[in-house]
Amino acid sequence: MKFKDIKLFKRKDTDSKQKRSLKRSHLIELLAAIFVIIFLNIIGNYIYTRFDLTSEKRYTLSNATKRLLKDIDETVLVRVYLEGNELPPDFVRLQNETKEMLNQFRAYNKYIEYEFVNPTDFDDPKEQQVFYQKLAQKGIQPSQIEIKTPDGLKQQLVIPAADVMYKGQETSVQLLLGQRYVSEAELINNSVQALEYTLTDAIRRLSRTEKQRIAFLQGHGELERHAIYDIQLALTDYYAMENITLDGNINSLTERVIDSKDSTNISFRNKFKLLVVPKPTKPFSDEDLYIIDQFVMYGGRVLWLIDGLDIEMDSLANRSQTMAMRMDLGLGFDEMMFTYGVRINSNLIMDIRCMPIPMAGGSMGNNPQIEFRPWYYFPEVVPLSKHPIVKNLDVIKSEFVNSIDIIDNEIRKTVLLTTSEYTRVVNAPAVVDLNVAQTEPDPRLFNKANLPIAVLLEGAFKSPWKNRLSPTFTDIPEMGYRSEGDTTKMIVISDGDIIKNAFNYRQNYPYPLGYDKYTNTMYANKTFILNAINYLCGDEDYMESRSREIKIRKLNVAQIKENRLMYQVINTVVPIVIVIVSGVAIVLIRKNRYKKK
């Protein structure tokens, strides 16, 4: 054998060893990858984590929800009826988001169980009808929707609702919000935003053993019951409510308990956690003011919704002008507010950022033409504060609102709502003229900015009756008079109509709180009032998940039409070019690497 043949044989042997070594290396890499995948899956069953890169943290549960899930010690079963073979894309999205939310719940607590049930999967129509009747008894109503098919429009029944069962109790929730005045896309998006709150709210209601009591004050010309129907209906699931009239009854808000063994031992406690004062229009008697003050001194919370001027839109129904006069609630009321730390001014705010109202703008034949004009007396309030009560809230509508002065005392104040940077103040008596809506505003007159119209007060309040009452009265044990109170809180809003829902007298039903029937716009008044009441009652956990916001990132239709060809090229040619360039680069790199070897 020649030397050349020996060298060639050695080279072949070396190449064979390199190939075996390369195969062994690849096999080891494959086994290692499989092992790592299996290992990570096993670890993932015991340790739950995720990275939420969305700007609004849509895949991150709120701290309040985490605390609620942590306290669950029995199985919670959620039975969802949003199931079917031909759901529209929007409802499929709601279905998927519901599953994702329930999976997040289960990741934090093993007692969370859920199932999706197809409400149309019945062979016997009678059984299906009985099933629908049972759902109706729970308050679950199907939604009739239209689906586009090659053969035309098709009607389909969808039930976007769920039953929640916990500790032997059951409640039903609607996954699709009952907002009749928005588009379907907005409706689905709003429902997705509210999923966390909707599901946790049901669990809270089932786990709460006792409801706190709330009183709505009557007897001083406050809003009638049909005007506060929607907010009271929304509060029913969480609180026990009562409409009360004081009439000078010392025990109407604070009760006195006399020890059966020692008649001199008297304990005092408030009957209610919160007192709501919804737009009084008649003066308060000194007796009623004293009763409310002592309710505050013993730790009671108050939500004041007060108008500084007496003015209603109805007064402009048959004439173009009216006069806004000072609302007389009694000198004692003004002194009480001043002592607590605020003053509601007798003025009227005009704001360039305002609601439109329908007005006659001419006629076509015998038909009057209606057009919408800005009504500067109805400011649209955009919350700027980062306080949990108003954080992430949408626009709030107001009507004939007044400014609030903040008085310097020991009470901590937080401004919740303000006007815009283009505000005008008209002092009482103020002329309100409909013709203002027909003229362009003069920016020089709108020279005020960010005037407070809702203020949160927190601290130990002092009684306005201090040093005014005779010792023969204050020393009576049964009166239990306090000149300084326990630490508590109250909210003062200078617009009583913020809590008022419109009412359809023809069909005898109330509109949702915050809904404007003229523009079909839903404002955030209801959420604001609910947040305010939750905060005053110490139920801050309700606010965090209710106020979260998930944005719809819609495509710009006009831009798509204008640059359609460019987007088509980007989506078809660019991926192909990337693949070709990547392939050539890999070949060149491999060729260069093995060439060196």
Side-chain angles (χ1 to χ4, degrees):
M1 182 180 294
K2 296 181 180 180
F3 178 76
K4 184 178 180 180
D5 295 335
I6 296 174
K7 189 175 181 180
L8 181 62
F9 176 77
K10 289 183 177 180
R11 185 182 300 169
K12 289 182 179 181
D13 185 56
T14 303
D15 292 342
S16 179
K17 289 182 179 180
Q18 287 180 346
K19 289 180 180 180
R20 288 196 299 271
S21 177
L22 187 61
K23 288 182 180 178
R24 190 183 305 111
S25 176
H26 289 169
L27 181 61
I28 293 174
E29 289 177 1
L30 177 62
L31 294 175
I34 295 174
F35 173 78
V36 169
I37 292 172
I38 295 174
F39 177 76
L40 291 177
N41 275 276
I42 294 173
I43 295 298
N45 288 330
Y46 298 95
I47 301 176
Y48 176 81
T49 185
R50 66 190 308 168
F51 299 98
D52 190 352
L53 303 179
T54 58
S55 60
E56 65 269 26
K57 298 299 179 184
R58 69 169 68 187
Y59 301 113
T60 302
L61 297 181
S62 65
N63 293 328
T65 298
K66 293 177 184 178
R67 289 192 295 269
L68 174 68
L69 295 175
K70 184 179 179 181
D71 294 335
I72 292 176
D73 54 2
E74 291 185 22
T75 299
V76 175
L77 176 61
V78 182
R79 181 177 293 122
V80 184
Y81 298 108
L82 189 57
E83 184 66 64
N85 299 324
E86 298 181 354
L87 290 177
D90 285 335
F91 284 89
V92 171
R93 180 189 170 212
L94 181 60
Q95 179 194 56
N96 293 335
E97 293 286 355
T98 303
K99 289 180 180 179
E100 179 66 26
M101 185 62 65
L102 291 171
N103 282 331
Q104 289 188 69
F105 284 9
R106 188 156 59 181
Y108 281 96
N109 193 305
K110 63 181 181 180
Y111 289 111
I112 303 296
E113 299 290 342
Y114 69 86
E115 61 180 1
F116 279 72
V117 177
N118 187 349
T120 62
D121 189 17
F122 286 90
D123 296 330
D124 188 354
K126 293 183 178 180
E127 292 182 4
Q128 189 172 32
Q129 189 63 31
V130 171
F131 177 74
Y132 287 158
Q133 291 175 355
K134 290 181 179 179
L135 292 181
Q137 292 173 359
K138 300 176 184 179
I140 297 178
Q141 296 295 337
S143 298
Q144 194 80 20
I145 60 175
E146 291 184 347
I147 302 176
K148 291 183 179 180
T149 65
D151 300 328
L153 293 177
K154 175 185 176 182
Q155 297 288 331
Q156 181 169 339
L157 206 63
V158 177
I159 304 181
D163 286 333
V164 182
M165 288 151 275
Y166 180 50
K167 290 188 174 180
Q169 300 183 75
E170 180 177 339
T171 188
S172 300
V173 295
Q174 293 284 354
L175 303 178
L176 188 68
L177 297 182
Q179 298 177 347
R180 297 171 288 173
Y181 314 105
V182 297
S183 66
E184 183 175 306
E186 291 175 316
L187 184 63
I188 295 295
N189 185 71
N190 293 340
S191 301
V192 170
Q193 284 183 184
L195 268 178
E196 180 181 345
Y197 172 74
T198 300
L199 296 172
T200 56
D201 175 60
I203 299 174
R204 283 194 186 95
R205 281 188 274 126
L206 293 177
S207 58
R208 172 166 282 188
T209 56
E210 185 177 353
K211 293 182 178 180
Q212 298 186 86
R213 300 180 68 194
I214 294 178
F216 278 75
L217 189 63
Q218 299 292 317
H220 310 90
E222 287 87 356
L223 292 173
E224 297 181 9
R225 296 185 182 182
H226 71 268
I228 53 177
Y229 175 83
D230 192 54
I231 189 64
Q232 288 194 332
L233 180 64
L235 292 168
T236 302
D237 289 332
Y238 320 105
Y239 305 102
M241 285 177 297
E242 185 176 334
N243 296 299
I244 64 164
T245 303
L246 302 182
D247 288 336
N249 182 2
I250 199 71
N251 291 313
S252 54
L253 294 179
T254 305
E255 61 183 354
R256 289 141 177 84
V257 181
I258 302 175
D259 193 330
S260 58
K261 297 181 180 180
D262 183 4
S263 59
T264 61
N265 184 12
I266 305 175
S267 60
F268 302 84
R269 60 170 179 252
N270 288 330
K271 295 180 178 179
F272 305 95
K273 185 71 173 181
L274 172 68
L275 175 67
V276 181
V277 185
K279 193 180 178 180
T281 56
K282 297 178 181 179
F284 286 81
S285 66
D286 287 343
E287 291 81 2
D288 286 355
L289 289 176
Y290 175 82
I291 293 170
I292 296 174
D293 173 69
Q294 291 303 293
F295 172 75
V296 173
M297 294 304 110
Y298 279 94
R301 286 86 186 278
V302 186
L303 175 59
W304 303 94
L305 299 116
I306 309 297
D307 278 356
L309 296 184
D310 185 5
I311 172 69
E312 296 291 341
M313 199 65 186
D314 292 344
S315 58
L316 294 170
N318 300 316
R319 53 184 175 175
S320 62
Q321 283 188 354
T322 188
M323 191 72 71
M325 305 297 292
R326 180 181 178 274
M327 182 74 73
D328 182 18
L329 298 178
L331 293 176
F333 179 84
D334 296 334
E335 184 178 349
M336 174 185 283
M337 291 289 102
F338 187 89
T339 305
Y340 291 162
V342 296
R343 176 173 51 231
I344 299 176
N345 295 312
S346 299
N347 58 26
L348 205 55
I349 287 178
M350 300 177 68
D351 201 320
I352 290 183
R353 186 176 62 200
C354 61
M355 292 175 55
I357 60 171
M359 299 187 68
S363 61
M364 181 175 293
N366 294 325
N367 298 321
Q369 298 298 303
I370 303 298
E371 61 181 18
F372 286 90
R373 302 295 300 173
W375 187 234
Y376 307 113
Y377 299 102
F378 285 8
E380 289 186 335
V381 183
V382 178
L384 301 177
S385 172
K386 298 301 181 183
H387 193 277
I389 293 177
V390 294
K391 184 180 179 182
N392 290 336
L393 280 193
D394 206 344
V395 180
I396 298 168
K397 72 169 184 173
S398 63
E399 301 180 8
F400 299 119
V401 66
N402 323 108
S403 65
I404 297 178
D405 286 342
I406 296 176
I407 310 302
D408 186 19
N409 61 9
E410 299 83 5
I411 301 300
R412 184 170 76 254
K413 291 104 179 167
T414 304
V415 177
L416 299 177
L417 299 178
T418 65
T419 61
S420 76
E421 61 273 21
Y422 302 106
T423 303
R424 179 183 177 184
V425 175
V426 183
N427 292 320
V431 177
V432 179
D433 192 342
L434 276 175
N435 293 321
V436 171
Q438 302 284 4
T439 60
E440 289 295 325
D442 186 351
R444 294 173 299 178
L445 299 176
F446 291 80
N447 53 7
K448 303 291 184 181
N450 305 122
L451 299 180
I453 60 174
V455 181
L456 167 67
L457 308 175
E458 297 176 285
F461 295 88
K462 294 183 178 179
S463 172
W465 301 93
K466 186 177 182 180
N467 301 325
R468 291 180 54 198
L469 298 173
S470 169
T472 57
F473 176 84
T474 58
D475 292 343
I476 299 176
E478 290 81 2
M479 298 307 298
Y481 171 74
R482 282 187 176 183
S483 60
E484 295 186 14
D486 299 330
T487 299
T488 186
K489 44 195 172 183
M490 64 176 65
I491 295 175
V492 180
I493 304 172
S494 59
D495 178 19
D497 293 309
I498 277 185
I499 199 174
K500 178 182 177 181
N501 58 257
F503 196 84
N504 188 327
Y505 291 96
R506 291 182 178 179
Q507 300 182 13
N508 196 33
Y509 73 87
Y511 291 105
L513 175 58
Y515 172 66
D516 179 48
K517 61 182 178 180
Y518 298 111
T519 60
N520 283 351
T521 302
M522 182 67 73
Y523 291 90
N525 293 49
K526 187 173 183 178
T527 303
F528 169 61
I529 295 298
L530 288 174
N531 283 353
I533 291 176
N534 290 155
Y535 184 83
L536 291 175
C537 290
D539 293 327
E540 292 90 341
D541 284 356
Y542 284 111
M543 302 185 300
E544 189 175 353
S545 55
R546 182 195 292 131
S547 300
R548 76 182 306 169
E549 177 185 10
I550 299 176
K551 300 177 182 178
I552 300 180
R553 291 173 171 82
K554 296 181 178 179
L555 296 176
N556 189 324
V557 178
Q559 189 175 2
I560 290 174
K561 290 182 178 179
E562 182 180 352
N563 304 308
R564 182 174 182 178
L565 180 60
M566 182 185 71
Y567 290 127
Q568 288 177 335
V569 171
I570 291 175
N571 284 284
T572 55
V573 177
V574 172
I576 297 174
V577 172
I578 291 175
V579 171
I580 294 174
V581 172
S582 301
V584 172
I586 292 173
V587 170
L588 293 176
I589 292 172
R590 289 173 60 87
K591 185 176 180 181
N592 186 51
R593 179 189 300 175
Y594 289 110
K595 182 179 180 181
K596 291 180 179 179
K597 288 184 178 182

